[in-house]
Amino acid sequence: MKLLNIFTAVCVAMSFSFAHAQEEVSKSSAKVPVATGKYVTGGVLASTLGFGIGHGVQGRYADKGWIFTATESAGLAMLIAGANTCKEETDAYGYKETKCSNGGLAVVGLGVLLGFHVWEIVDAWAGATPVDSGVKAYILPDPKAPGIGLAYSF
């Protein structure tokens, strides 16, 4: 019963954040100009770590980054809470079996975590646009080892 109340509270909180996100989208659906270094760094951090970190690097945390922090944290909390109800039991014949009393919460938590992380990755790369025109990439020979290296400046 306690987990059902927690799940209901999380769903209500997510619906409020989704409603706020819809208001923000209608206000500003244009791409945000971001320096190229921040664009690339934020995109990589959003793609790997998540939780709104990439949006914070890009300077867009107040717009959308907080949504990913809140919802991915809630999804992770549900995943952990659901996984903590699992126990390994041994039957009379010596076979081990894992039983979860609230495995559905873990599945929902994983779905929320993955769904919002995918949305975060797409938004980090598509919601901003790099503005520096001085971006340069060079292919340089490496004098210490055979082969070439890549130099990237912004």
Side-chain angles (χ1 to χ4, degrees), residues 5 11 14 26-27 31 55 60 82 97 109 119:
N5 290 340
C11 287
M14 286 177 21
S26 64
K27 288 180 187 174
K31 289 186 175 186
H55 286 77
R60 302 185 310 131
E97 187 177 2
W119 178 25

Side-chain angles (χ1 to χ4, degrees), residues 122-136:
V122 170
D123 187 65
W125 292 105
T129 183
V131 293
D132 293 340
S133 61
V135 178
K136 297 175 181 86

Side-chain angles (χ1 to χ4, degrees), residues 61-73:
Y61 188 81
D63 292 336
K64 288 192 179 175
W66 68 272
I67 296 171
F68 301 116
T69 302
T71 53
E72 288 180 28
S73 298

Side-chain angles (χ1 to χ4, degrees), residues 135-139 150-153:
V135 178
K136 297 175 181 86
Y138 301 100
I139 297 177
L150 180 66
Y152 182 67
S153 67

Side-chain angles (χ1 to χ4, degrees), residues 24-81:
E24 291 296 320
V25 168
S26 64
K27 288 180 187 174
S28 62
S29 61
K31 289 186 175 186
V32 178
V34 177
T36 302
K38 290 182 178 184
Y39 173 77
V40 171
T41 305
V44 169
L45 287 174
S47 299
T48 55
L49 299 177
F51 294 95
I53 296 171
H55 286 77
V57 169
Q58 291 178 347
R60 302 185 310 131
Y61 188 81
D63 292 336
K64 288 192 179 175
W66 68 272
I67 296 171
F68 301 116
T69 302
T71 53
E72 288 180 28
S73 298
L76 183 62
M78 287 190 292
L79 176 64
I80 291 171

Side-chain angles (χ1 to χ4, degrees), residues 81-101:
N84 279 338
T85 64
C86 297
K87 294 186 234 177
E88 190 173 278
E89 297 176 353
T90 306
D91 64 3
Y93 300 106
Y95 294 108
K96 292 185 178 180
E97 187 177 2
T98 303
K99 292 187 178 182
C100 299
S101 62

